[in-house]
Every structure is written in C-alpha cells, then in structure tokens.
Amino acid sequence: MALLEVKDLKVRVEEREILHGLTLTVNEGEIHAIMGPNGSGKSTLSHVIAGKPGYEVTDGEILFKGEDLLAMAPNERAAKGVFLAFQYPVEIPGVSTMNFLRTALNAQRKARGESEYSTPDFLKKVREVSKSLNIPQDMLKRGVNVGFSGGEKKRNEVLQMALFEPSLCILDEMDSGLDIDALRIAADGVNALHSPKRAMVVITHYQRLLNYIVPDVVHVMSNGRVVKSGGKELALELEASGYAQFEDAA
Amino acid sequence: MPAVQETVERVKRIDVDQYRYGFETLIESDKAPKGLSEETVKFISEKKNEPAWMLQWRLEAYRRWLTMTEPTWARVDYPKIDFQDLYYYSAPKPKKTISSLDEIDPEILKTYEKLGIPLREVAMLEGVEPKPGDQDPNRRKIAVDAVFDSVSVATTFQAELKKAGVIFMPISEAIREHPELVQKYLGSVVPTSDNFYATLNSAVFSDGSFVYVPPGVRCPMELSTYFRINERNTGQFERTLIIADKGSYVSYLEGCTAPQRDENQLHAAVVELVTHDDAEIKYSTVQNWYPGNSEGKGGIYNFVTKRGDCRGDRSKISWTQVETGSAITWKYPSCILRGDNSSGEFYSIAISNGYQQVDSGTKMIHLGKNTSSRIISKGIAAGKSQNTYRGLVTAHRKATGARNFTACDSLLIGDKCGAHTVPYIEAKNSSATFEHEATTSKISEDVLFYCIQRGLTQEEAVGLVVNGFVKDVLQQLPMEFAVEAQKLISISLEGSVG
Ligand SMILES: Nc1ncnc2c1ncn2[C@@H]1O[C@H](COP(=O)(O)OP(=O)(O)OP(=O)(O)O)[C@@H](O)[C@H]1O
Ligand SMILES: [Mg+2]
C-alpha cells in the first residue's frame, strides 16, 4: 500500500521555483534512495514533506496514508509518523537531550491520544536504544547536540527515530561526516527499524551507504525533478558515470 | 469597638467628603481615604498601632517625598501617575488573630487557589499537622507569610521558627514587638531619602515581612511570602527587612500575583537585607503580576527598591529573580559589598511580552577588600515589548582585589520587540578585575522547526528553547520555585509567535 504519494509537486522559495513537478511514490516496507547533484532539491523535498515554513507549494499534492499531508500542521505530521533526520541537526543549549526526547515523545503520544510514558519505562527504552547505537548515557545529559561531534549528531537523529517509531523515515545525508565505524553503527540502527509497515527514504551522495542500507528503489533527482528511477544497481551506475547524463534530461 | 466600626469612625473624622466612598468600600475592606497627605500617613500608622517613633519616621519620609521628583532615566514610558488618585491603605476585613490557616476567610484562600498559589496545599503538605517522626527529607519545609493586599493574613510555622530563635513575622508586628531591631535596621540599607519610590514607600508602607536570624543559626526552613494586589486602585507598598546575624543562613522566597484589573496599579516595595560576618541570605523572587492585556491596557507598575548590605566580612547575598509580569518593571536588586571578602550574586530572568516594559538589573558596589560579585542576566523579549538590562559595577578605591563577572544574554522572539544592555563599570583601583560578556540573539527558526518536527507545537517549542536559554538561572532557584517558574515562563510567552 502506498504510504507516501508525491504528485507533480511544484515548490517555490522566495519567488524562485525549486521543485518543478516532482512525483514519487513510496510503499509501506520499502527503502528508497534519492541521489542527485548539489542543489537539485533533495533537502527541499524533505522539508516540504515535514512542513518547514518558508516553502510555497504552488501545485501538486502530497498524500500520507491517503490523507492530505499539506493540510496538516508540522507537529501533527510528526505525530502521524513522519520523521525527518536532518542534514544539519541544530543545537539546543540548556535543554538536556534526555528531557528533549521525553518531551517530544510524550507530545507525539498525547497528540495520538496515547498515555504518556512512565519515567522508568521511558528510561528503559532510551537505555536500550542508545546502547544499540553506541551512544553513551553521559551524552544524553548534555544539551541537545551541544558540543556533539558530527557523527554524534547523526547518531542522535537515529536514536530519536528509533524512539519515536515513525512510519516514514526520511534521512537527509545521514552518512555525511561519519567515519566508517560510525556509519556502520548508524546504518545498523536504521536497518533494525526496517519493518513491513515502515518505509525509509534515504538521501545520499554516496553509494557506499547503500551497501549497508540496501534500497528497493533508487531515484535520481536533478533540477527539481525525479529524472530516473531504478533498482539498487542504478546507484553503482551513477558512481561510475556521474550525473552529467541527467543534467541534459532535466 | 469592633474594627469595622472603628474604621468608619476614623474615616468620618478624616475627611467628610470622602466618607461616602470610604463607607461603601468598608463593607468589604478597611481602607484609607483616597490620596496622600500627612493625614493618610497618620491613618496608616494609627491603624497599625504604631509607636510614636515610627510615625515620626514616616512623616519625615513623607515631607522628604514632597520635595522629590520621579526618576526618568529608565527606558520605560507611561502616563504620569496621579498620586492623589490612589488609595494607600487597604486591609481585608477586620483582622483577627490567626493561628492556623483554617481561620482564614475561605474566600481569601479560594482566591489564592485560583491564582494557582499552593498556600493551603503547601501548608497541608508541609506540616500544618505534621505527624510526629514523619519527616521526609526531600520535602523541604516552607513557612508562608501571606500578604493579602496590605495585611499579613496567615503566618505558619511560627512555633518551629521560634524554637530556632528565628523571628519571622509581619513587619507591623515586629515594629511593636521588636522595636530595638526594627529601629536599628529599618532604613539602614535603603535610607528614607534614597529615591522617589523608596521614600514614598517609607511614608506609607503598609506591611511586609520581617526576618531576624540569630548568630550561628541556619534557618530550619525556607521562608516564603506570597503577595497579592486585590483592591482596585490600591498602591501596594510592601516593606521587607531581613537580618542575618553572624554566621547565620536564611533562604527567602517571594512570590507575587495580581488579579486582572483594568487600571494600572502602582507597586513600590522596598526590601532591605543585612548580613553580618559569615552570614548568608538567599532571596528569590518569582513575579507574575498582571502584565496588561494584549493591547497594552492595564497592568502593574512595579517600582521596586531591593538592596542588600553585606555588612560583615565573608558574608554573602544572593538575589535570584524571575520576572514575567507587570506592565512596567523598574527594579535593580543590588549588593553593597562592605565587608572584606564578601560576595554578591544576581541571577535574573526577565521576560517581556505584549507591551510590557522591563528596565531591570543590578548594582554591585565593591567597598571591601577582595570582594566578588557575579551577575547572570537573561532577558527575553517577545511581542512588542522592550527589555533593558541596566547594571552598575563599581570598585571603591579601597576595594583592592575586587572581582566581578557579568554575563548578559538577550533573546528576541519576533522582530517587533527590543532588547538593550546598559552596563556601567567604574573601577577606582587598578587591582579590580571586571569581566563583562553580552550576547543578543534571535530565537532561531531552524531550532523551532527541529522541535516541531519532533512533535512539539510552536508554543511548546518556544517554551522549551527559552527554558533552555534561562537554565543557568533557573538552577539557582529552590526546587519548588524552579518548577513553578518554568511553567510561568511558558505561559507568559503564549501567543508570542505565529
Ligand atoms: N531558503 C532558501 N532561499 C533561497 N534558495 C533556497 C532556499 N533553500 C533552498 N534554496 C535553493 O534551492 C535549491 C535546492 O536546495 P536543496 O538544499 O534542496 O538541495 P540539495 O539537493 O539538498 O543539495 P545538497 O546535495 O547540496 O544538500 C538550491 O539552489 C538552493 O540554493
Ligand atoms: Mg541537502
């Protein structure tokens, strides 16, 4: 069943059109990779799906579980199961990671009409997940992402993803800035979340990541459109020949 | 003669013209006639059964006040106050002697409850009826001295405090029961001539708290006062005096709320703190008086003089304030570091939203040798508000080795508000080390969106980010207050974005 349907999406930022009619369908349980040159609109697409302000949708629609996603407030989308692991996670000084995780998780649960986690249950859950991601407990006491290394920030994104159990995970360049070991740990974390009901959209520049997170479908984005889709071998092809062939097509 | 009758008689005597009004309001409260004159001062003093010296002290302040003009240097803007159009004294119903909370008018308690003041709860939880041996060390005791308009209506924990030798009572009682202490210390930190509002307060102060901690005593509980302004057009003039004798320690919490009123209400309190050798006072305030409505109408005018005198060597005074209310805040809790090796601290969170105007900060006056001071100020401006930090750090010629660290951070929410930092620094000797850091930042859209993407509403996101911004200061508050303050911060920023 289609989880996410982006249909002929046109998006403007400050009077300039960035996405020129993008179409993409992601079914439950699938892993999709999106590749494409710098500035082709990959992050823009992820932001529009998550509901970041500042983007004007001029045409097209986005359906999530069959519902009009664009009509929902961004926090509502989160509660419904849309998760975006940011390319550049921000720092929130003075707010401990633990407090942040708990506040966010309970906000989502409340929005879904679920009861809040008890403190022991919550702590147990965080401990389990952070252990599997090799995140030391000490780090969770620090301000959200404050003084975290690039790799730690990315792992913190995966940690949240594991805690919130979203049905759609969009990972924007989670591999950038990760060393080989960290990449493997993060990818294992992502794979552990893979389930028949959950879909992943992995934005990356490097086919290397796709050795760890094996996609069902690879899309090539260029100049605000998906210009080619194929199996995982498409990523290898791109690595060999670059994006030049698509630049003309776009 | 019953008190109500007595007041009626007295009002009749004072001013026939104002009698009618006075009589009407006397049904609910016990009020001085409108306006300020020597008669008003006498009325208040008489109401309080004050000794002659106290009346004299007030009258001198009143005469002095007549010669003074309102200060205009602060960055606040408001229509001229008509001091003759205010009431200077208002007491809820005739006062009985109250030994427990149960004797307080349930209506008054209900008002407290509505305001979210856990007076009754605190009293219940904290031991109006303590089971013997049932001592939870995690639940610290708080003694509450509630001030309803101008008269203290409840004083709890008197007995236990008495055992420790701590005097904690309404200042009106202290004037009668401990005149030697009051005479010695009242006005010794903030002289009657200090400034326009402090002088006014000296003339007409109605009540407030008095604390004396004897040498070597660590006060066995946090002392707490809740202030509330109830009557329409009643200026509230609290007077608080806290003395920590040699080697003693006391932590004092002050909480304030005022119900919604259309007219602006004047509040001019004076707080004096004195620490002797090796003594320490920690004074915490959470102020959430009515800030006015969304159009900037109404709200409290808060002109407060708070000053601590580190009179003894190695003594310490620490001010912590969370200011979220009032239409206008004019407030500079200060420390005079007189004793050698004494230290002063000022931790402040000042939040302004809507049309609020805040001009607040501190003065650290280094007089003794090796004195140190620390200032951490967090200003948050939202809506159309103006938020100014004004601070003065001076080192006297003899204050060798004086040290100060100041950090002022401002956070702007939206683009219609303003944050300003006005530091004055004066070192009259070369061995002083003063450090000053200041930052101003805007709340980041990316940070807000990050939180919202994780499921928080816009307002929850702002609350979370702001609470993170002020964390250094919140940590200085006693636990019970910190939780309350955190909620208050989120509430006061409602509607500040979007
Ligand atoms: N707020 C903005 N204002 C103006 N232009 C913007 C804004 N956000 C994005 N753009 C432009 O939109 C285009 C697409 O940017 P986007 O970040 O989506 O690319 P990307 O595919 O994620 O690139 P990268 O691989 O470098 O991360 C770029 O040309 C970028 O400059
Ligand atoms: Mg990008």
Side-chain angles (χ1 to χ4, degrees), chain A residues 11-245:
Chain A
V11 172
R12 280 166 172 263
V13 179
E14 286 165 11
E15 302 300 304
R16 184 180 141 213
E17 192 169 275
I18 310 286
L19 300 183
H20 310 287
L22 184 143
T23 297
L24 177 71
T25 301
V26 179
N27 295 310
E28 283 178 341
E30 287 179 350
I31 297 181
H32 288 231
I34 297 182
M35 304 182 81
N38 295 131
S40 55
K42 303 182 296 295
S43 294
T44 301
L45 173 63
S46 71
H47 289 155
V48 174
I49 293 171
K52 189 172 180 176
Y55 296 89
E56 189 198 349
V57 176
T58 54
D59 206 0
E61 62 175 346
I62 304 179
L63 300 180
F64 181 65
K65 297 178 182 169
E67 288 182 76
D68 180 2
L69 191 71
L70 295 173
M72 295 177 210
N75 56 312
E76 216 179 312
R77 299 181 198 190
K80 283 239 156 84
V82 174
F83 182 91
L84 170 61
F86 287 87
Q87 182 172 0
Y88 304 107
V90 297
E91 300 186 1
I92 316 177
V95 179
S96 80
T97 306
M98 201 59 124
N99 178 25
F100 179 77
L101 295 175
R102 191 174 176 177
T103 307
L105 182 59
N106 283 332
Q108 292 192 20
R109 292 182 66 90
K110 200 173 133 209
R112 290 194 292 261
E114 297 165 9
S115 65
E116 292 195 348
Y117 261 102
S118 74
T119 307
D121 288 352
F122 170 76
L123 289 176
K124 190 162 160 265
K125 201 168 164 165
V126 173
R127 243 177 246 132
E128 266 169 32
V129 180
S130 51
K131 201 164 166 226
S132 72
L133 289 165
N134 221 1
I135 294 174
Q137 293 298 303
D138 270 4
M139 219 170 93
L140 302 179
K141 290 183 192 141
R142 280 154 58 187
V144 177
N145 292 325
V146 176
F148 285 23
S149 74
E152 287 168 342
K153 284 182 183 170
K154 294 300 169 81
R155 263 184 284 162
N156 190 17
E157 296 292 284
V158 181
L159 168 67
Q160 292 176 52
M161 202 166 101
L163 269 182
F164 302 156
E165 301 177 0
S167 39
L168 175 68
C169 309
I170 305 168
L171 298 128
D172 194 355
E173 298 198 22
M174 68 156 275
D175 50 340
S176 69
L178 290 188
D179 64 42
I180 285 289
D181 291 337
L183 179 64
R184 198 196 315 268
I185 293 165
D188 285 349
V190 173
N191 283 327
L193 290 171
H194 189 202
S195 86
K197 283 281 174 197
R198 183 175 290 139
M200 311 270 179
V201 175
V202 181
I203 297 172
T204 184
H205 286 292
Y206 304 105
Q207 108 76 30
R208 190 185 59 191
L209 176 68
L210 306 180
N211 290 335
Y212 296 106
I213 305 173
V214 182
D216 300 300
V217 189
V218 174
H219 306 276
V220 180
M221 259 187 85
S222 179
N223 195 19
R225 281 190 192 90
V226 172
V227 290
K228 184 161 187 182
S229 302
K232 61 175 189 279
E233 60 296 336
L234 181 57
L236 288 165
E237 215 178 285
L238 284 170
E239 185 128 285
S241 51
Y243 295 117
Q245 52 178 317

Side-chain angles (χ1 to χ4, degrees), chain A residues 52 84 94 108 157 160, chain B residues 446 449-450 453-454 456 471:
Chain A
K52 189 172 180 176
L84 170 61
Q108 292 192 20
E157 296 292 284
Q160 292 176 52
Chain B
D446 284 347
F449 183 64
Y450 187 84
Q453 207 299 303
R454 299 308 189 236
L456 273 60
K471 189 177 168 213

Side-chain angles (χ1 to χ4, degrees), chain B residues 177-453:
Chain B
E177 291 178 27
H178 302 280
E180 67 305 333
L181 283 173
V182 177
Q183 263 184 301
K184 182 171 171 192
Y185 289 103
L186 190 70
S188 73
V189 185
V190 180
T192 48
S193 57
D194 193 79
N195 70 71
F196 185 82
Y197 294 105
T199 306
L200 176 64
N201 174 288
S202 300
V204 299
F205 76 85
S206 37
D207 220 329
S209 299
F210 176 82
V211 179
Y212 172 78
V213 191
V217 170
R218 197 178 164 86
C219 186
M221 63 190 76
E222 315 251 5
L223 303 181
S224 165
T225 300
Y226 284 106
F227 293 114
R228 175 166 178 275
I229 302 174
N230 181 54
E231 283 295 325
R232 191 176 288 266
N233 283 344
T234 306
Q236 177 115 352
F237 304 95
E238 299 297 335
R239 186 89 193 191
T240 293
L241 176 58
I242 303 176
I243 302 132
D245 216 325
K246 288 182 183 171
S248 69
Y249 168 84
V250 62
S251 166
Y252 188 90
L253 320 176
E254 176 200 310
C256 326
T257 55
Q260 200 151 315
R261 286 271 184 248
D262 235 5
E263 293 113 296
N264 296 298
Q265 285 181 297
L266 176 65
H267 181 97
V270 171
V271 175
E272 295 178 278
L273 312 181
V274 178
T275 49
H276 289 289
D277 288 354
D278 302 294
E280 178 177 350
I281 298 176
K282 193 170 162 55
Y283 192 105
S284 314
T285 308
V286 173
Q287 185 267 116
N288 64 332
W289 277 323
Y290 182 50
N293 70 9
S294 55
E295 271 99 55
K297 194 163 164 10
I300 301 291
Y301 289 179
N302 193 20
F303 297 93
V304 183
T305 305
K306 288 185 168 174
R307 195 173 302 153
D309 188 356
C310 285
R311 218 162 269 183
D313 293 347
R314 297 167 304 279
S315 64
K316 182 174 175 186
I317 287 175
S318 179
W319 297 101
T320 304
Q321 62 173 25
V322 178
E323 302 277 323
T324 66
S326 296
I328 290 173
T329 303
W330 182 99
K331 181 182 173 188
Y332 316 90
S334 304
C335 297
I336 301 166
L337 303 167
R338 200 182 302 276
D340 291 345
N341 298 296
S342 62
S343 60
E345 292 174 341
F346 174 73
Y347 296 101
S348 170
I349 298 169
I351 299 186
S352 53
N353 196 0
Y355 285 86
Q356 282 177 279
Q357 303 175 59
V358 178
D359 195 298
S360 184
T362 185
K363 286 189 241 176
M364 293 291 174
I365 317 279
H366 292 255
L367 301 178
K369 291 192 187 66
N370 298 317
T371 46
S372 64
S373 59
R374 185 176 168 81
I375 299 170
I376 309 287
S377 163
K378 306 275 181 181
I380 296 123
K384 295 186 171 122
S385 67
Q386 295 295 328
N387 202 320
T388 303
Y389 167 82
R390 189 181 303 276
L392 169 71
V393 180
T394 66
H396 190 262
R397 202 167 35 79
K398 288 181 188 151
T400 51
R403 296 181 309 280
N404 166 266
F405 174 76
T406 300
C408 294
D409 298 317
S410 305
L411 187 68
L412 296 165
I413 302 175
D415 49 16
K416 293 187 183 72
C417 51
H420 320 275
T421 303
V422 190
Y424 303 91
I425 300 170
E426 257 173 55
K428 296 213 179 88
N429 77 72
S430 57
S431 64
T433 22
F434 290 170
E435 282 175 75
H436 181 93
E437 292 172 5
T439 66
T440 300
S441 48
K442 272 199 78 160
I443 197 159
S444 146
E445 293 295 328
D446 284 347
V447 170
L448 288 183
F449 183 64
Y450 187 84
C451 299
I452 292 166
Q453 207 299 303

